Amino acid sequence: EAALAIDPRFSDARILRAGILASRRQYDPAIADLQQADALDPAKPMIKLDLAKVLDEAGRPDEARREFEGILKSQPDYVPALTGLGALLTKAGQYDQAEALLRRSLTLEPAQDEGRFNLARVLEQQGKRADAAAEYRRLVENPATTPAARQAARARLAALGR
């Protein structure tokens, strides 16, 4: 608040405040802050990415999808947007599109936990249990996997009986 009082054009302060508001489920003001930050600094794809994620959390998936797609139109290899849109499409039951996006994100950045876990979930939801288990195992066996992702992958392997 103090930084914005000094300079209301300080986009980073808006981004930080939006994160706090979103964590409190105050989505409308968070979205407004991110939209203002984006207007102030349109060259930062991370602002649009944050906006897409908050829109999704707020139950506005069509708007979130437009944001993800807008990012990918200008930066087709932006892995966080590929992963985010893949996760959004998974929730919408659009598994084939989600799988394609998540595989592409992993081709560009193979070590990412989020994309691999989301791919495994898509495969699982498509009934491709063996393929899903293989992706979960990759997470468990990779020493670079975060502890949270490793634990989640182990839980899914157990749920699959693997």
Side-chain angles (χ1 to χ4, degrees), residues 60-77:
R60 295 160 63 175
D62 293 338
E63 293 171 75
R65 182 175 182 160
R66 281 193 295 275
E67 290 297 329
F68 282 126
E69 289 173 344
I71 296 166
L72 293 170
K73 186 175 182 180
S74 63
Q75 296 184 31
D77 293 336

Side-chain angles (χ1 to χ4, degrees), residues 51-121:
L51 177 58
K53 289 179 179 182
V54 172
L55 286 164
D56 182 31
E57 288 175 30
R60 295 160 63 175
D62 293 338
E63 293 171 75
R65 182 175 182 160
R66 281 193 295 275
E67 290 297 329
F68 282 126
E69 289 173 344
I71 296 166
L72 293 170
K73 186 175 182 180
S74 63
Q75 296 184 31
D77 293 336
Y78 190 54
V79 171
L82 290 166
T83 303
L85 182 55
L88 181 74
L89 293 174
T90 300
K91 287 192 268 184
Q94 297 176 18
Y95 302 128
D96 291 338
Q97 287 179 295
E99 181 181 349
L101 287 166
L102 292 166
R103 287 191 185 283
R104 186 163 147 226
S105 77
L106 288 166
T107 298
L108 295 165
E109 196 176 303
Q112 57 156 323
D113 296 347
E114 182 181 359
R116 188 154 315 276
F117 189 84
N118 288 341
L119 175 61
R121 293 291 293 167

Side-chain angles (χ1 to χ4, degrees), residues 22-46:
S23 72
R24 295 177 181 163
R25 300 182 194 271
Q26 296 175 346
Y27 297 118
D28 289 338
I31 290 166
D33 268 348
L34 289 168
Q35 289 170 331
Q36 289 172 358
D38 184 46
L40 292 167
D41 206 348
K44 286 186 178 177
M46 190 56 111

